[in-house]
Amino acid sequence: MFTEAPAKRKTYYEELQDKGYSRRDFMKFCTMMAAYMGLQTSGVAQVAEALKTKPRLPVIWLHFQECTCCSESFIRSSHPIVADIILDKISLDYTETLMAAAGHQAEEAMHKTMKEHYGEYVLCVEGSVPTGADGVYCLIGGKSSLDILHEAAAGAKAIICWGSCASNGCVQSAKPNPTRATPIHKIIKNKPIIKVPGCPPIGEVMAGTIVHILTFGTLPALDGIGRPKAFYSKRVHDSCYRRPYYDAGLYVETFDDENAKRGYCLYKVGCKGPSTYNACGVMRWNAGVSFPIQSGHGCFGCSEESFWDNGPIYERMATAGGFGIEANADTVGKVALGVTAAGIAAHAVVTNLRKGKNIDKIIAEGKQSEHELNED
Amino acid sequence: MATVTITKPHRLRRVFVWELPVRVYHWLNALSIMALIATGFYIGDPPALLSGKEASDLFIMGTFRFVHFVAAYIFFFNFLFRIYWGFVGNKYARWKNFIPTNKQFFSDMWTVIKTDILMTSAKDIHTIGHNRLAGFIYFLTFIAFGIQCLTGFGLYSATSDWWFPNLFAWVPSVVGGDFMLRQIHHWTMWFFILFTVVHVYLVFYHDYVEGRGEISSMGGGWKFVEEEIFEADKESEKEKK
């Protein structure tokens, strides 16, 4: 048995060469990533340079309350290097779903990374953290996810929240949120946090976020709530290829009607594109094949906070809680209008009864003046 | 009708209550709100369109949205102007008419409620400008204006490159996204509708019960006040000083 000498950490390019990728494949990948990140042409060289010279970025990828759809989306991103570069062998020091190690070995690998790369590693979190009942709803290796998160976050350079679970709680935090599923930013306050919401997020968006950190050594430009601007600054509605039908006023009235066959806008059948910030309309899914609206179904709004509680899927308006199943703001408004009208009618009647004397006085006064004029 | 004999009809004093800027504000506000409600209903739930035309030949939703946004800008800057006028306008336009600053405000409000709403008190209240309850309700409408401006421009900001709407880009995250923002925007609209109905009714009510030219006051700016009330008002103003 011999112990391996602590080898110099290989760069991404070296690792890729070992895997058998050609220089051409590598440059294609860099170009694609630069384009996704919205860089100018010279950015391609920056990406290539970074991947050639910088040693691999240590990454710890934790899974809590989630369904692994983020990982699934990631390994299906359009260029094979995306999966290889981050997931297959290079960067992942610890991830429950994909690592070969198990049990104590895995725990050891994580702690090794945490110790060796303290302050350098990027912590990726997939899933929310249940804070109810002291965190017993999600235990890994005998520890609650809350403890694991605190431990792993302490030495992290930055935290990437994959998917809606980590970014805003997703379905497990839907009312009444029995496990008190909590997004990461509400637990860890002292680290830079990047939110990459979506259920799941687009693979290229995930890759783009990581490659940005790699290339520039900084976090990508974030919007007000911490999402990378390059991917989340536009609403799905604004990059939707059906938008001309929206502006024209041509809408699908029901699924499978003539308008649906013509590909009209899905606004009236509950498309959440107008209130959802994501890159689906531009990047699409599965290597640019399609996205929900293209397949004839409205946007679900999966990258938006509370999308699971935001009313019926196939309606524009949310139902009004406490006013019956079908009631929305307009129903309540119409009833309120009716009540107001009835109130006014009653008030008008009571006015004539109660204020009769005052009114009579005014009328009499007016009439007297009228008479005086007639007498002249 | 009971016959009432009046020995001496009241002499009325003409009082200039609503200055021109206030009246212009009022009607611009009314028109823009009507435009906003009408186009807002269309945007919220556009009716099915029977047209064989291509999308490239139609711009119906686009037009409705355009009118909505133009009206929104008019509404917003008109509102800003009114706030400014609350500091430089005449006695009846001042902000003190709207924002309660003392206990007297609330007890006056209660008197108005007893007299004009519940009608448990038969006496006649003589106010020349806004009565206290009306003033306070207008204060609530100003809050509703604020909510509509924040939510409206918050929704609009993502589609605009201009710096001004982007001042509101922070709003969506406060309430958890555009979806919730839309809901708030839509719910608050109903307040405007209900307000308008009650407001118009009460204008007629006051004109009918008090006979001081309430309806026409927002046209010419004048109200007509009984000589005695005018003198009494003058006395109480003197006392205050």
PDB file of all heavy atoms in Angstrom, chain A residues 225 235 246-247 267-268 277 310 330 347 352 354-355 362 365 368, chain B residues 6 10 43 46 61-62 115-116 119 159 173 178 186 201 208-209:
ATOM      1  N   ILE A 225     -32.825  40.602  -5.538  1.00  0.00           N
ATOM      2  CA  ILE A 225     -33.028  39.491  -4.614  1.00  0.00           C
ATOM      3  C   ILE A 225     -31.985  38.395  -4.792  1.00  0.00           C
ATOM      4  O   ILE A 225     -32.174  37.279  -4.335  1.00  0.00           O
ATOM      5  CB  ILE A 225     -34.460  38.914  -4.703  1.00  0.00           C
ATOM      6  CG1 ILE A 225     -34.776  38.441  -6.114  1.00  0.00           C
ATOM      7  CG2 ILE A 225     -35.485  39.911  -4.246  1.00  0.00           C
ATOM      8  CD1 ILE A 225     -36.089  37.674  -6.189  1.00  0.00           C
ATOM      9  N   ARG A 235     -38.602  38.923 -17.964  1.00  0.00           N
ATOM     10  CA  ARG A 235     -39.711  38.009 -17.711  1.00  0.00           C
ATOM     11  C   ARG A 235     -39.822  37.033 -18.889  1.00  0.00           C
ATOM     12  O   ARG A 235     -39.476  37.375 -20.024  1.00  0.00           O
ATOM     13  CB  ARG A 235     -41.015  38.795 -17.583  1.00  0.00           C
ATOM     14  CG  ARG A 235     -40.960  39.849 -16.499  1.00  0.00           C
ATOM     15  CD  ARG A 235     -42.222  40.655 -16.455  1.00  0.00           C
ATOM     16  NE  ARG A 235     -42.522  41.272 -17.741  1.00  0.00           N
ATOM     17  CZ  ARG A 235     -43.663  41.874 -18.024  1.00  0.00           C
ATOM     18  NH1 ARG A 235     -44.615  41.920 -17.130  1.00  0.00           N
ATOM     19  NH2 ARG A 235     -43.865  42.412 -19.192  1.00  0.00           N
ATOM     20  N   TYR A 246     -50.031  38.114 -27.875  1.00  0.00           N
ATOM     21  CA  TYR A 246     -50.469  38.830 -26.660  1.00  0.00           C
ATOM     22  C   TYR A 246     -50.768  40.281 -27.000  1.00  0.00           C
ATOM     23  O   TYR A 246     -51.841  40.803 -26.682  1.00  0.00           O
ATOM     24  CB  TYR A 246     -49.388  38.746 -25.578  1.00  0.00           C
ATOM     25  CG  TYR A 246     -49.644  39.633 -24.387  1.00  0.00           C
ATOM     26  CD1 TYR A 246     -50.523  39.238 -23.377  1.00  0.00           C
ATOM     27  CD2 TYR A 246     -49.017  40.872 -24.268  1.00  0.00           C
ATOM     28  CE1 TYR A 246     -50.779  40.051 -22.289  1.00  0.00           C
ATOM     29  CE2 TYR A 246     -49.258  41.692 -23.183  1.00  0.00           C
ATOM     30  CZ  TYR A 246     -50.136  41.282 -22.194  1.00  0.00           C
ATOM     31  OH  TYR A 246     -50.376  42.099 -21.126  1.00  0.00           O
ATOM     32  N   ASP A 247     -49.822  40.938 -27.656  1.00  0.00           N
ATOM     33  CA  ASP A 247     -50.000  42.351 -27.974  1.00  0.00           C
ATOM     34  C   ASP A 247     -51.158  42.569 -28.942  1.00  0.00           C
ATOM     35  O   ASP A 247     -51.836  43.589 -28.896  1.00  0.00           O
ATOM     36  CB  ASP A 247     -48.707  42.928 -28.560  1.00  0.00           C
ATOM     37  CG  ASP A 247     -47.621  43.059 -27.499  1.00  0.00           C
ATOM     38  OD1 ASP A 247     -47.980  43.309 -26.336  1.00  0.00           O
ATOM     39  OD2 ASP A 247     -46.431  42.897 -27.818  1.00  0.00           O
ATOM     40  N   TYR A 267     -52.106  33.519 -22.268  1.00  0.00           N
ATOM     41  CA  TYR A 267     -52.379  34.432 -21.151  1.00  0.00           C
ATOM     42  C   TYR A 267     -53.662  34.082 -20.395  1.00  0.00           C
ATOM     43  O   TYR A 267     -53.684  34.028 -19.169  1.00  0.00           O
ATOM     44  CB  TYR A 267     -52.488  35.832 -21.756  1.00  0.00           C
ATOM     45  CG  TYR A 267     -52.687  36.982 -20.812  1.00  0.00           C
ATOM     46  CD1 TYR A 267     -51.669  37.395 -19.977  1.00  0.00           C
ATOM     47  CD2 TYR A 267     -53.887  37.704 -20.806  1.00  0.00           C
ATOM     48  CE1 TYR A 267     -51.837  38.497 -19.154  1.00  0.00           C
ATOM     49  CE2 TYR A 267     -54.059  38.801 -19.989  1.00  0.00           C
ATOM     50  CZ  TYR A 267     -53.039  39.190 -19.165  1.00  0.00           C
ATOM     51  OH  TYR A 267     -53.209  40.288 -18.353  1.00  0.00           O
ATOM     52  N   LYS A 268     -54.740  33.818 -21.129  1.00  0.00           N
ATOM     53  CA  LYS A 268     -56.034  33.619 -20.470  1.00  0.00           C
ATOM     54  C   LYS A 268     -56.217  32.222 -19.894  1.00  0.00           C
ATOM     55  O   LYS A 268     -57.197  31.967 -19.180  1.00  0.00           O
ATOM     56  CB  LYS A 268     -57.177  33.928 -21.448  1.00  0.00           C
ATOM     57  CG  LYS A 268     -57.343  35.413 -21.678  1.00  0.00           C
ATOM     58  CD  LYS A 268     -58.392  35.708 -22.718  1.00  0.00           C
ATOM     59  CE  LYS A 268     -59.788  35.602 -22.162  1.00  0.00           C
ATOM     60  NZ  LYS A 268     -60.783  35.987 -23.191  1.00  0.00           N
ATOM     61  N   TYR A 277     -39.628  35.599 -13.859  1.00  0.00           N
ATOM     62  CA  TYR A 277     -38.318  36.015 -14.360  1.00  0.00           C
ATOM     63  C   TYR A 277     -37.450  34.785 -14.589  1.00  0.00           C
ATOM     64  O   TYR A 277     -37.096  34.091 -13.635  1.00  0.00           O
ATOM     65  CB  TYR A 277     -37.658  36.969 -13.361  1.00  0.00           C
ATOM     66  CG  TYR A 277     -38.377  38.286 -13.297  1.00  0.00           C
ATOM     67  CD1 TYR A 277     -39.568  38.405 -12.588  1.00  0.00           C
ATOM     68  CD2 TYR A 277     -37.902  39.394 -13.991  1.00  0.00           C
ATOM     69  CE1 TYR A 277     -40.254  39.612 -12.553  1.00  0.00           C
ATOM     70  CE2 TYR A 277     -38.575  40.597 -13.962  1.00  0.00           C
ATOM     71  CZ  TYR A 277     -39.749  40.698 -13.236  1.00  0.00           C
ATOM     72  OH  TYR A 277     -40.428  41.894 -13.213  1.00  0.00           O
ATOM     73  N   ASN A 310     -49.719  30.357  -5.444  1.00  0.00           N
ATOM     74  CA  ASN A 310     -50.282  31.461  -6.210  1.00  0.00           C
ATOM     75  C   ASN A 310     -51.461  31.060  -7.075  1.00  0.00           C
ATOM     76  O   ASN A 310     -51.420  31.101  -8.293  1.00  0.00           O
ATOM     77  CB  ASN A 310     -49.195  32.122  -7.062  1.00  0.00           C
ATOM     78  CG  ASN A 310     -48.336  33.072  -6.256  1.00  0.00           C
ATOM     79  OD1 ASN A 310     -48.707  33.432  -5.139  1.00  0.00           O
ATOM     80  ND2 ASN A 310     -47.207  33.469  -6.790  1.00  0.00           N
ATOM     81  N   ASP A 330     -62.341  40.044  -8.375  1.00  0.00           N
ATOM     82  CA  ASP A 330     -63.479  40.624  -9.085  1.00  0.00           C
ATOM     83  C   ASP A 330     -64.806  40.179  -8.496  1.00  0.00           C
ATOM     84  O   ASP A 330     -65.751  40.964  -8.412  1.00  0.00           O
ATOM     85  CB  ASP A 330     -63.407  40.256 -10.571  1.00  0.00           C
ATOM     86  CG  ASP A 330     -62.283  41.011 -11.272  1.00  0.00           C
ATOM     87  OD1 ASP A 330     -61.824  42.024 -10.712  1.00  0.00           O
ATOM     88  OD2 ASP A 330     -61.863  40.580 -12.351  1.00  0.00           O
ATOM     89  N   HIS A 347     -79.400  54.662   2.489  1.00  0.00           N
ATOM     90  CA  HIS A 347     -78.994  55.957   3.028  1.00  0.00           C
ATOM     91  C   HIS A 347     -79.851  57.075   2.436  1.00  0.00           C
ATOM     92  O   HIS A 347     -80.271  57.990   3.153  1.00  0.00           O
ATOM     93  CB  HIS A 347     -77.513  56.192   2.738  1.00  0.00           C
ATOM     94  CG  HIS A 347     -76.927  57.369   3.450  1.00  0.00           C
ATOM     95  ND1 HIS A 347     -76.923  58.624   2.896  1.00  0.00           N
ATOM     96  CD2 HIS A 347     -76.348  57.481   4.673  1.00  0.00           C
ATOM     97  CE1 HIS A 347     -76.345  59.463   3.745  1.00  0.00           C
ATOM     98  NE2 HIS A 347     -75.994  58.791   4.840  1.00  0.00           N
ATOM     99  N   ASN A 352     -84.040  61.240   3.454  1.00  0.00           N
ATOM    100  CA  ASN A 352     -85.305  61.951   3.271  1.00  0.00           C
ATOM    101  C   ASN A 352     -86.170  61.903   4.512  1.00  0.00           C
ATOM    102  O   ASN A 352     -86.936  62.823   4.778  1.00  0.00           O
ATOM    103  CB  ASN A 352     -86.058  61.392   2.068  1.00  0.00           C
ATOM    104  CG  ASN A 352     -85.450  61.916   0.785  1.00  0.00           C
ATOM    105  OD1 ASN A 352     -85.373  63.118   0.585  1.00  0.00           O
ATOM    106  ND2 ASN A 352     -84.956  61.013  -0.042  1.00  0.00           N
ATOM    107  N   ARG A 354     -84.924  61.426   7.826  1.00  0.00           N
ATOM    108  CA  ARG A 354     -84.289  62.083   8.965  1.00  0.00           C
ATOM    109  C   ARG A 354     -83.988  63.553   8.726  1.00  0.00           C
ATOM    110  O   ARG A 354     -84.028  64.346   9.648  1.00  0.00           O
ATOM    111  CB  ARG A 354     -82.986  61.357   9.328  1.00  0.00           C
ATOM    112  CG  ARG A 354     -83.166  59.931   9.799  1.00  0.00           C
ATOM    113  CD  ARG A 354     -83.642  59.870  11.226  1.00  0.00           C
ATOM    114  NE  ARG A 354     -82.707  60.515  12.142  1.00  0.00           N
ATOM    115  CZ  ARG A 354     -82.961  60.743  13.418  1.00  0.00           C
ATOM    116  NH1 ARG A 354     -84.130  60.411  13.911  1.00  0.00           N
ATOM    117  NH2 ARG A 354     -82.054  61.309  14.191  1.00  0.00           N
ATOM    118  N   LYS A 355     -83.628  63.848   7.473  1.00  0.00           N
ATOM    119  CA  LYS A 355     -83.220  65.226   7.189  1.00  0.00           C
ATOM    120  C   LYS A 355     -84.346  66.000   6.515  1.00  0.00           C
ATOM    121  O   LYS A 355     -84.105  67.070   5.944  1.00  0.00           O
ATOM    122  CB  LYS A 355     -81.984  65.243   6.284  1.00  0.00           C
ATOM    123  CG  LYS A 355     -80.809  64.457   6.807  1.00  0.00           C
ATOM    124  CD  LYS A 355     -79.836  65.348   7.524  1.00  0.00           C
ATOM    125  CE  LYS A 355     -78.655  64.524   8.001  1.00  0.00           C
ATOM    126  NZ  LYS A 355     -77.744  65.311   8.843  1.00  0.00           N
ATOM    127  N   ILE A 362     -84.781  74.255   2.937  1.00  0.00           N
ATOM    128  CA  ILE A 362     -84.032  74.741   1.777  1.00  0.00           C
ATOM    129  C   ILE A 362     -84.954  74.922   0.584  1.00  0.00           C
ATOM    130  O   ILE A 362     -84.916  75.935  -0.114  1.00  0.00           O
ATOM    131  CB  ILE A 362     -82.887  73.773   1.415  1.00  0.00           C
ATOM    132  CG1 ILE A 362     -81.879  73.694   2.557  1.00  0.00           C
ATOM    133  CG2 ILE A 362     -82.173  74.218   0.154  1.00  0.00           C
ATOM    134  CD1 ILE A 362     -80.851  72.601   2.368  1.00  0.00           C
ATOM    135  N   GLU A 365     -87.218  77.838   1.100  1.00  0.00           N
ATOM    136  CA  GLU A 365     -86.459  79.070   0.929  1.00  0.00           C
ATOM    137  C   GLU A 365     -86.286  79.397  -0.552  1.00  0.00           C
ATOM    138  O   GLU A 365     -86.506  80.529  -0.989  1.00  0.00           O
ATOM    139  CB  GLU A 365     -85.085  78.862   1.586  1.00  0.00           C
ATOM    140  CG  GLU A 365     -84.459  80.130   2.074  1.00  0.00           C
ATOM    141  CD  GLU A 365     -83.098  79.851   2.715  1.00  0.00           C
ATOM    142  OE1 GLU A 365     -83.034  79.029   3.650  1.00  0.00           O
ATOM    143  OE2 GLU A 365     -82.120  80.436   2.257  1.00  0.00           O
ATOM    144  N   GLN A 368     -89.576  80.414  -2.049  1.00  0.00           N
ATOM    145  CA  GLN A 368     -89.967  81.769  -1.645  1.00  0.00           C
ATOM    146  C   GLN A 368     -89.279  82.796  -2.530  1.00  0.00           C
ATOM    147  O   GLN A 368     -89.910  83.728  -3.030  1.00  0.00           O
ATOM    148  CB  GLN A 368     -89.608  81.993  -0.182  1.00  0.00           C
ATOM    149  CG  GLN A 368     -90.184  83.293   0.343  1.00  0.00           C
ATOM    150  CD  GLN A 368     -89.992  83.392   1.846  1.00  0.00           C
ATOM    151  OE1 GLN A 368     -89.998  82.382   2.551  1.00  0.00           O
ATOM    152  NE2 GLN A 368     -89.837  84.606   2.333  1.00  0.00           N
TER     153      GLN A 368
ATOM    154  N   ILE B   6     -90.788  80.577   5.488  1.00  0.00           N
ATOM    155  CA  ILE B   6     -89.504  81.223   5.724  1.00  0.00           C
ATOM    156  C   ILE B   6     -89.786  82.710   5.782  1.00  0.00           C
ATOM    157  O   ILE B   6     -90.351  83.285   4.835  1.00  0.00           O
ATOM    158  CB  ILE B   6     -88.527  80.927   4.570  1.00  0.00           C
ATOM    159  CG1 ILE B   6     -88.401  79.434   4.324  1.00  0.00           C
ATOM    160  CG2 ILE B   6     -87.164  81.587   4.825  1.00  0.00           C
ATOM    161  CD1 ILE B   6     -87.587  78.678   5.321  1.00  0.00           C
ATOM    162  N   HIS B  10     -82.089  83.078   3.591  1.00  0.00           N
ATOM    163  CA  HIS B  10     -80.674  83.301   3.875  1.00  0.00           C
ATOM    164  C   HIS B  10     -80.001  84.112   2.797  1.00  0.00           C
ATOM    165  O   HIS B  10     -80.302  83.970   1.617  1.00  0.00           O
ATOM    166  CB  HIS B  10     -79.932  81.960   3.977  1.00  0.00           C
ATOM    167  CG  HIS B  10     -80.222  81.217   5.225  1.00  0.00           C
ATOM    168  ND1 HIS B  10     -81.089  80.148   5.270  1.00  0.00           N
ATOM    169  CD2 HIS B  10     -79.772  81.392   6.496  1.00  0.00           C
ATOM    170  CE1 HIS B  10     -81.142  79.693   6.510  1.00  0.00           C
ATOM    171  NE2 HIS B  10     -80.371  80.433   7.277  1.00  0.00           N
ATOM    172  N   ILE B  43     -56.954  44.576 -19.607  1.00  0.00           N
ATOM    173  CA  ILE B  43     -55.655  43.904 -19.477  1.00  0.00           C
ATOM    174  C   ILE B  43     -55.779  42.679 -18.576  1.00  0.00           C
ATOM    175  O   ILE B  43     -55.215  41.626 -18.839  1.00  0.00           O
ATOM    176  CB  ILE B  43     -54.585  44.885 -18.935  1.00  0.00           C
ATOM    177  CG1 ILE B  43     -54.341  46.003 -19.939  1.00  0.00           C
ATOM    178  CG2 ILE B  43     -53.278  44.162 -18.639  1.00  0.00           C
ATOM    179  CD1 ILE B  43     -53.583  47.186 -19.377  1.00  0.00           C
ATOM    180  N   PRO B  46     -58.873  40.045 -20.929  1.00  0.00           N
ATOM    181  CA  PRO B  46     -59.287  40.487 -22.262  1.00  0.00           C
ATOM    182  C   PRO B  46     -60.379  39.596 -22.832  1.00  0.00           C
ATOM    183  O   PRO B  46     -60.283  38.374 -22.750  1.00  0.00           O
ATOM    184  CB  PRO B  46     -58.000  40.360 -23.092  1.00  0.00           C
ATOM    185  CG  PRO B  46     -57.144  39.405 -22.345  1.00  0.00           C
ATOM    186  CD  PRO B  46     -57.502  39.556 -20.899  1.00  0.00           C
ATOM    187  N   MET B  61     -54.296  44.599 -27.434  1.00  0.00           N
ATOM    188  CA  MET B  61     -53.753  44.593 -26.076  1.00  0.00           C
ATOM    189  C   MET B  61     -52.646  45.631 -25.952  1.00  0.00           C
ATOM    190  O   MET B  61     -52.564  46.346 -24.953  1.00  0.00           O
ATOM    191  CB  MET B  61     -53.227  43.191 -25.732  1.00  0.00           C
ATOM    192  CG  MET B  61     -52.514  43.107 -24.396  1.00  0.00           C
ATOM    193  SD  MET B  61     -53.527  43.569 -22.988  1.00  0.00           S
ATOM    194  CE  MET B  61     -54.167  41.985 -22.454  1.00  0.00           C
ATOM    195  N   GLY B  62     -51.830  45.733 -26.989  1.00  0.00           N
ATOM    196  CA  GLY B  62     -50.747  46.706 -26.971  1.00  0.00           C
ATOM    197  C   GLY B  62     -51.278  48.119 -26.785  1.00  0.00           C
ATOM    198  O   GLY B  62     -50.738  48.909 -26.016  1.00  0.00           O
ATOM    199  N   THR B 115     -73.863  62.538  12.070  1.00  0.00           N
ATOM    200  CA  THR B 115     -74.788  63.418  11.368  1.00  0.00           C
ATOM    201  C   THR B 115     -75.117  62.928   9.961  1.00  0.00           C
ATOM    202  O   THR B 115     -76.281  62.872   9.570  1.00  0.00           O
ATOM    203  CB  THR B 115     -74.186  64.837  11.264  1.00  0.00           C
ATOM    204  OG1 THR B 115     -73.659  65.182  12.532  1.00  0.00           O
ATOM    205  CG2 THR B 115     -75.222  65.833  10.821  1.00  0.00           C
ATOM    206  N   ASP B 116     -74.076  62.567   9.215  1.00  0.00           N
ATOM    207  CA  ASP B 116     -74.288  62.294   7.789  1.00  0.00           C
ATOM    208  C   ASP B 116     -74.384  60.810   7.433  1.00  0.00           C
ATOM    209  O   ASP B 116     -74.975  60.461   6.414  1.00  0.00           O
ATOM    210  CB  ASP B 116     -73.161  62.914   6.957  1.00  0.00           C
ATOM    211  CG  ASP B 116     -73.281  64.431   6.920  1.00  0.00           C
ATOM    212  OD1 ASP B 116     -74.425  64.917   7.011  1.00  0.00           O
ATOM    213  OD2 ASP B 116     -72.244  65.105   6.817  1.00  0.00           O
ATOM    214  N   MET B 119     -76.952  59.298  10.825  1.00  0.00           N
ATOM    215  CA  MET B 119     -78.055  60.250  10.936  1.00  0.00           C
ATOM    216  C   MET B 119     -78.797  60.121  12.259  1.00  0.00           C
ATOM    217  O   MET B 119     -80.024  60.203  12.316  1.00  0.00           O
ATOM    218  CB  MET B 119     -78.983  60.115   9.731  1.00  0.00           C
ATOM    219  CG  MET B 119     -78.305  60.627   8.472  1.00  0.00           C
ATOM    220  SD  MET B 119     -79.366  60.787   7.050  1.00  0.00           S
ATOM    221  CE  MET B 119     -79.290  59.158   6.393  1.00  0.00           C
ATOM    222  N   THR B 159     -40.052  46.147 -17.792  1.00  0.00           N
ATOM    223  CA  THR B 159     -40.203  46.292 -19.233  1.00  0.00           C
ATOM    224  C   THR B 159     -39.672  47.635 -19.721  1.00  0.00           C
ATOM    225  O   THR B 159     -39.810  47.962 -20.884  1.00  0.00           O
ATOM    226  CB  THR B 159     -41.683  46.194 -19.648  1.00  0.00           C
ATOM    227  OG1 THR B 159     -42.396  47.258 -19.010  1.00  0.00           O
ATOM    228  CG2 THR B 159     -42.287  44.873 -19.215  1.00  0.00           C
ATOM    229  N   SER B 173     -39.816  42.327  -5.041  1.00  0.00           N
ATOM    230  CA  SER B 173     -39.233  41.411  -4.067  1.00  0.00           C
ATOM    231  C   SER B 173     -39.795  41.624  -2.665  1.00  0.00           C
ATOM    232  O   SER B 173     -39.781  40.721  -1.842  1.00  0.00           O
ATOM    233  CB  SER B 173     -37.708  41.557  -4.058  1.00  0.00           C
ATOM    234  OG  SER B 173     -37.356  42.862  -3.699  1.00  0.00           O
ATOM    235  N   ASP B 178     -43.809  39.382  -8.875  1.00  0.00           N
ATOM    236  CA  ASP B 178     -44.780  40.090  -9.706  1.00  0.00           C
ATOM    237  C   ASP B 178     -46.193  39.558  -9.565  1.00  0.00           C
ATOM    238  O   ASP B 178     -47.156  40.292  -9.711  1.00  0.00           O
ATOM    239  CB  ASP B 178     -44.370  39.989 -11.188  1.00  0.00           C
ATOM    240  CG  ASP B 178     -43.252  40.942 -11.530  1.00  0.00           C
ATOM    241  OD1 ASP B 178     -42.608  41.443 -10.592  1.00  0.00           O
ATOM    242  OD2 ASP B 178     -43.019  41.184 -12.723  1.00  0.00           O
ATOM    243  N   HIS B 186     -54.635  44.730  -8.485  1.00  0.00           N
ATOM    244  CA  HIS B 186     -56.010  44.448  -8.902  1.00  0.00           C
ATOM    245  C   HIS B 186     -57.006  44.674  -7.750  1.00  0.00           C
ATOM    246  O   HIS B 186     -58.057  45.280  -7.931  1.00  0.00           O
ATOM    247  CB  HIS B 186     -56.084  42.995  -9.396  1.00  0.00           C
ATOM    248  CG  HIS B 186     -57.309  42.705 -10.217  1.00  0.00           C
ATOM    249  ND1 HIS B 186     -57.258  42.205 -11.492  1.00  0.00           N
ATOM    250  CD2 HIS B 186     -58.623  42.829  -9.924  1.00  0.00           C
ATOM    251  CE1 HIS B 186     -58.483  42.051 -11.958  1.00  0.00           C
ATOM    252  NE2 HIS B 186     -59.330  42.408 -11.018  1.00  0.00           N
ATOM    253  N   TYR B 201     -72.147  59.850  -4.919  1.00  0.00           N
ATOM    254  CA  TYR B 201     -73.410  59.881  -4.170  1.00  0.00           C
ATOM    255  C   TYR B 201     -73.389  60.978  -3.106  1.00  0.00           C
ATOM    256  O   TYR B 201     -74.341  61.752  -2.968  1.00  0.00           O
ATOM    257  CB  TYR B 201     -73.681  58.520  -3.519  1.00  0.00           C
ATOM    258  CG  TYR B 201     -74.779  58.582  -2.485  1.00  0.00           C
ATOM    259  CD1 TYR B 201     -76.120  58.729  -2.876  1.00  0.00           C
ATOM    260  CD2 TYR B 201     -74.485  58.555  -1.125  1.00  0.00           C
ATOM    261  CE1 TYR B 201     -77.130  58.825  -1.932  1.00  0.00           C
ATOM    262  CE2 TYR B 201     -75.486  58.654  -0.174  1.00  0.00           C
ATOM    263  CZ  TYR B 201     -76.808  58.788  -0.574  1.00  0.00           C
ATOM    264  OH  TYR B 201     -77.796  58.891   0.358  1.00  0.00           O
ATOM    265  N   TYR B 208     -78.003  68.312  -1.903  1.00  0.00           N
ATOM    266  CA  TYR B 208     -79.432  68.154  -1.652  1.00  0.00           C
ATOM    267  C   TYR B 208     -79.798  68.577  -0.244  1.00  0.00           C
ATOM    268  O   TYR B 208     -80.785  69.276  -0.018  1.00  0.00           O
ATOM    269  CB  TYR B 208     -79.754  66.677  -1.885  1.00  0.00           C
ATOM    270  CG  TYR B 208     -81.181  66.263  -1.677  1.00  0.00           C
ATOM    271  CD1 TYR B 208     -82.227  66.927  -2.317  1.00  0.00           C
ATOM    272  CD2 TYR B 208     -81.477  65.158  -0.871  1.00  0.00           C
ATOM    273  CE1 TYR B 208     -83.537  66.504  -2.142  1.00  0.00           C
ATOM    274  CE2 TYR B 208     -82.780  64.734  -0.696  1.00  0.00           C
ATOM    275  CZ  TYR B 208     -83.806  65.421  -1.320  1.00  0.00           C
ATOM    276  OH  TYR B 208     -85.087  65.007  -1.156  1.00  0.00           O
ATOM    277  N   VAL B 209     -78.984  68.203   0.720  1.00  0.00           N
ATOM    278  CA  VAL B 209     -79.309  68.433   2.123  1.00  0.00           C
ATOM    279  C   VAL B 209     -78.898  69.834   2.589  1.00  0.00           C
ATOM    280  O   VAL B 209     -79.539  70.426   3.443  1.00  0.00           O
ATOM    281  CB  VAL B 209     -78.648  67.342   3.001  1.00  0.00           C
ATOM    282  CG1 VAL B 209     -78.747  67.678   4.469  1.00  0.00           C
ATOM    283  CG2 VAL B 209     -79.285  65.998   2.728  1.00  0.00           C
TER     284      VAL B 209
END
